[in-house]
């Protein structure tokens, strides 16, 4: 054991596993961002809530910062440990604890992967509806810490809507229980909601009681080819007016270029500038007829040039792969990512300005646009050219993000729609949250985490 403080940690918490191998420090010290060099003190893997409390109390005694760690699939550096922090991995706390059929709730430990949550809900004939491509790797605790969104927000909302109760170890080691599974609770501040999206800066989510809902309707998936950006919102309105949308996602020809190079099958004979993949309830003929009516209307208007409807579950998955495979297909280019949102009604005007800004700023770069257009959420990935150094590329991207943040500020939008602020977007927080709000956030942090040990430096500096 290299650091004597770690001996005292093991003594005070015998159930704990500690990892200090360089390979483990590297593995657990970073997330899907690759900008920072991991340098944690050690990795603590508690086996119980009591262990988590003991670790946090030890951290207070020794003034050691703690970085909570789930699946580390985050894209904003929220789970990065680059400054001698203790990484507290929830991966051993990965089980479902209780299902309540009357309440329709599932109580789970924070380290449970999202996909395992889906499967557990399905075994009870129900649905946990928050869903996105990282489902197999991310954990529910991380979803809660970032208020994760994903591909079904248009229908079901963000993680925030699905949390009926939370158990949290606060910055001083105290175990707090919020809302206890209640549907109605009008008794003052809702700390549960404060913790959701707090990115580990207030405490560590150890357990959650999740709301479940009816199983998903039978659905179909349609891929649409569009001639231009300008018609995107018209197509969205045409479909939303006629049917129950489960998802409505868009991406560009550049995205298709990368995702098909990465193995995704492509159903059309030619390529198009823009695409939409939409999933819609199609339990009966009326659902399918509505989809066809929307499609025909869009074709007549010239808003849609081509389309294909899934004829089987396997084909539905193939169409989804064109959208869900994008992030993975871009990873090798070390993209600079923006994840921004505006109100849906502001989307057309924002799209126009953002596109002019980005194409003016990066004429030489490969820029991939995609996202949850029906939620007003755009992902903009700028791929690093091979001949550009990391520092030069980052500098250029940050310059443009500064300008984009100004545009967002004017549109009352958000610099982080669903990935969190973490380290990556910290310089731009004030474009979205005003000074009074940030001052309140600091006050809240002080109340939950008096010594400032919970994921310090993420979201804002103290
Ligand atoms: C998605 O919608 C994720 O696929 C990742 O939020 C977005 O890689 C990205 O920029
Ligand atoms: Zn997304």
């Amino acid at each position: 054991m290299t650091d004597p403080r770690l001996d005292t940690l093991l003594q005070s918490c015998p159930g704990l596993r500690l990892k200090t191998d360089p390979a483990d420090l590297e593995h657990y010290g970073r997330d899907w961002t690759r900008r920072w060099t991991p340098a944690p003190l050690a990795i603590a893997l508690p086996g119980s809530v009591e262990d988590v409390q003991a670790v946090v109390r030890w951290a207070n005694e020794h003034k050691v910062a703690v970085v909570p760690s789930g699946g580390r699939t985050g894209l904003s550096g929220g789970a990065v440990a680059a400054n001698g922090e203790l990484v507290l991995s929830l991966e051993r706390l990965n089980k479902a604890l209780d299902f309540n059929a009357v309440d329709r709730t599932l109580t789970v430990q924070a380290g449970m992967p999202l996909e395992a949550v889906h499967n557990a809900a399905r075994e009870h004939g129900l649905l946990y509806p928050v869903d996105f491509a990282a489902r197999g790797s991310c954990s529910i605790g991380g979803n809660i810490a970032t208020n994760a969104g994903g591909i079904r927000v248009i229908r079901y909302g963000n993680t925030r809507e699905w949390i009926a109760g939370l158990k949290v170890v606060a910055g001083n080691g105290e175990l707090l229980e919020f809302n206890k599974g209640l549907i109605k609770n009008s008794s003052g501040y809702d700390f549960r909601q404060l913790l959701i999206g707090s990115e580990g800066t207030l405490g560590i989510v150890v357990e959650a009681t999740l709301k479940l809902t009816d199983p998903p309707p039978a659905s179909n998936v349609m891929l649409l080819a569009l001639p231009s950006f300008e018609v995107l919102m018209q197509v969205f309105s045409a479909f939303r007016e006629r049917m129950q949308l489960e998802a409505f996602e868009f991406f560009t020809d550049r995205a298709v270029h990368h995702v098909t190079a990465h193995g995704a099958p492509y159903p059309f004979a030619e390529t198009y500038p823009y695409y939409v993949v939409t999933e819609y309830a199609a339990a009966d003929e009326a659902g399918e007829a509505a989809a066809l009516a929307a499609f025909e209307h869009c074709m007549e208007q010239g808003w849609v040039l081509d389309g294909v409807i899934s004829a089987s579950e396997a084909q539905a998955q193939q169409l989804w792969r064109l959208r869900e495979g994008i992030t993975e297909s871009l990873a090798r280019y070390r993209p600079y990512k923006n994840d921004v949102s505006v109100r849906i009604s502001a989307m057309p005007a924002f799209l126009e300005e953002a596109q002019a800004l980005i194409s003016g700023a990066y004429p030489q770069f490969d820029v991939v646009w995609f996202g949850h257009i029906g939620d007003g959420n755009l992902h903009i990935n700028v791929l690093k050219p091979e001949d550009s150094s990391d520092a030069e590329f980052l500098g250029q991207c940050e310059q443009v993000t500064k300008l984009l943040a100004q545009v967002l500020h004017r549109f009352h939008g958000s610099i982080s729609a669903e990935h969190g602020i973490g380290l990556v977007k910290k310089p731009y927080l004030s474009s979205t949250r005003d000074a009074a709000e940030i001052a309140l956030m600091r006050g809240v942090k002080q109340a939950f985490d008096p010594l400032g040990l919970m994921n310090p430096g993420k979201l804002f500096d103290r």
Side-chain angles (χ1 to χ4, degrees):
M1 197 71 45
T2 43
D3 189 310
R5 290 173 301 175
L6 296 178
D7 293 331
T8 66
L9 174 58
L10 276 180
Q11 278 152 19
S12 59
C13 187
L16 195 68
R17 282 188 208 148
L18 266 189
K19 294 188 179 189
T20 52
D21 279 0
D24 288 324
L25 299 183
E26 165 136 13
H27 176 70
Y28 287 90
R30 64 182 186 188
D31 60 11
W32 277 7
T33 57
R34 288 289 186 263
R35 202 188 293 177
W36 290 272
T37 308
L41 170 67
I43 318 305
L45 297 105
S48 67
V49 171
E50 292 73 26
D51 288 351
V52 176
Q53 288 185 271
V55 170
V56 174
R57 288 199 186 109
W58 171 89
N60 273 259
E61 201 178 313
H62 295 274
K63 312 279 182 296
V64 173
V66 175
V67 175
S69 178
R72 293 176 305 283
T73 55
L75 297 168
S76 297
V80 166
N83 295 303
E85 303 95 333
L86 183 76
V87 171
L88 195 154
S89 163
L90 279 306
E91 77 181 27
R92 288 174 68 203
L93 300 178
N94 59 5
K95 296 182 186 53
L97 300 175
D98 183 49
F99 168 69
N100 188 314
V102 177
D103 294 339
R104 290 184 141 193
T105 54
L106 182 71
T107 299
V108 298
Q109 294 180 308
M112 193 161 173
L114 175 61
E115 195 164 46
V117 170
H118 289 159
N119 294 340
R122 198 175 304 120
E123 275 165 29
H124 295 293
L126 292 169
L127 172 73
Y128 178 72
V130 177
D131 191 19
F132 43 91
R135 61 182 76 79
S137 325
C138 69
S139 70
I140 192 74
N143 294 183
I144 293 167
T146 51
N147 185 27
I151 53 178
R152 302 194 188 270
V153 170
I154 191 172
R155 168 82 161 96
Y156 297 103
N158 297 294
T159 300
R160 190 178 291 295
E161 319 289 333
W162 297 94
I163 308 299
L166 273 188
K167 268 194 198 167
V168 172
V169 174
N172 61 1
E174 196 178 349
L175 181 64
L176 303 170
E177 198 172 351
F178 302 137
N179 199 59
K180 300 177 183 154
L182 298 173
I183 302 291
K184 302 185 83 171
N185 182 5
S186 187
S187 60
Y189 306 145
D190 190 344
F191 294 119
R192 158 191 57 163
Q193 294 297 351
L194 255 186
L195 260 290
I196 301 169
S198 64
E199 302 189 27
T201 61
L202 302 181
I204 295 158
V205 172
V206 287
E207 280 175 31
T209 295
L210 310 174
K211 299 181 199 172
L212 305 179
T213 187
D214 292 322
S219 60
N220 272 342
V221 176
M222 195 187 276
L223 177 72
L224 304 168
L226 278 58
S228 70
F229 225 44
E230 288 70 36
V231 299
L232 202 51
M233 299 315 285
Q234 271 109 307
V235 175
F236 172 57
S237 298
F239 275 76
R240 192 172 59 168
E241 273 161 23
R242 291 173 175 81
M243 55 221 275
Q244 172 68 66
L245 296 178
E246 300 287 308
F248 193 91
E249 301 275 315
F250 104 104
F251 45 98
T252 59
D253 56 344
R254 292 311 299 161
V256 164
H257 168 80
H258 291 291
V259 82
T260 52
H262 210 247
Y266 182 74
F268 299 131
E270 45 183 306
T271 57
Y272 299 97
Y274 296 93
Y275 300 86
V276 161
V277 65
T278 179
E279 186 165 330
Y280 52 92
D284 52 24
E285 278 176 21
E288 205 48 68
L292 282 176
F295 176 71
E296 274 159 18
H297 175 72
C298 290
M299 288 286 280
E300 273 160 26
Q301 298 294 321
W303 301 335
V304 162
L305 302 175
D306 208 344
V308 52
I309 299 180
S310 61
S312 64
E313 177 55 32
Q315 205 187 359
Q317 277 176 17
Q318 282 183 359
L319 295 180
W320 261 119
R321 210 172 141 198
L322 287 166
R323 164 63 184 88
E324 290 209 299
I326 296 172
T327 297
E328 207 186 316
S329 75
L330 302 181
R332 71 191 185 92
Y333 299 99
R334 319 258 318 272
Y336 180 92
K337 291 174 185 287
N338 268 310
D339 159 42
V340 300
S341 69
V342 294
R343 293 169 66 142
I344 304 171
S345 56
M347 213 9 126
F350 175 74
L351 274 175
E352 203 183 315
E353 272 202 49
Q355 211 195 18
L357 171 68
I358 303 278
S359 57
Y362 299 126
Q364 76 282 31
F365 291 166
D366 190 0
V367 183
V368 182
W369 294 72
F370 59 107
H372 319 284
I373 199 81
D375 311 325
N377 178 188
L378 287 175
H379 297 310
I380 309 163
N381 279 223
V382 187
L383 310 196
K384 192 178 96 55
E386 265 170 23
D387 58 355
S388 180
S389 76
D390 282 2
E392 183 193 14
F393 176 65
L394 185 62
Q396 286 166 315
C397 291
E398 295 281 356
Q399 273 312 106
V400 179
T401 298
K402 223 182 265 175
L403 299 176
L404 188 65
Q406 288 168 11
V407 177
L408 279 166
H409 184 71
R410 250 193 300 116
F411 276 86
H412 307 295
S414 178
I415 192 72
S416 175
E418 58 171 5
H419 294 168
I421 294 291
L423 293 169
V424 173
K425 299 299 175 212
K426 188 167 68 169
Y428 313 104
L429 181 63
S430 62
S431 67
T432 301
R433 311 298 290 261
D434 62 31
E437 271 189 295
I438 296 173
L440 276 174
M441 287 199 210
R442 289 206 167 91
V444 171
K445 177 152 176 76
Q446 181 66 25
F448 275 86
D449 176 28
L451 298 187
L453 299 174
M454 296 290 102
N455 217 8
K458 314 292 167 48
L459 188 50
F460 51 76
D461 290 316
R462 255 179 122 203

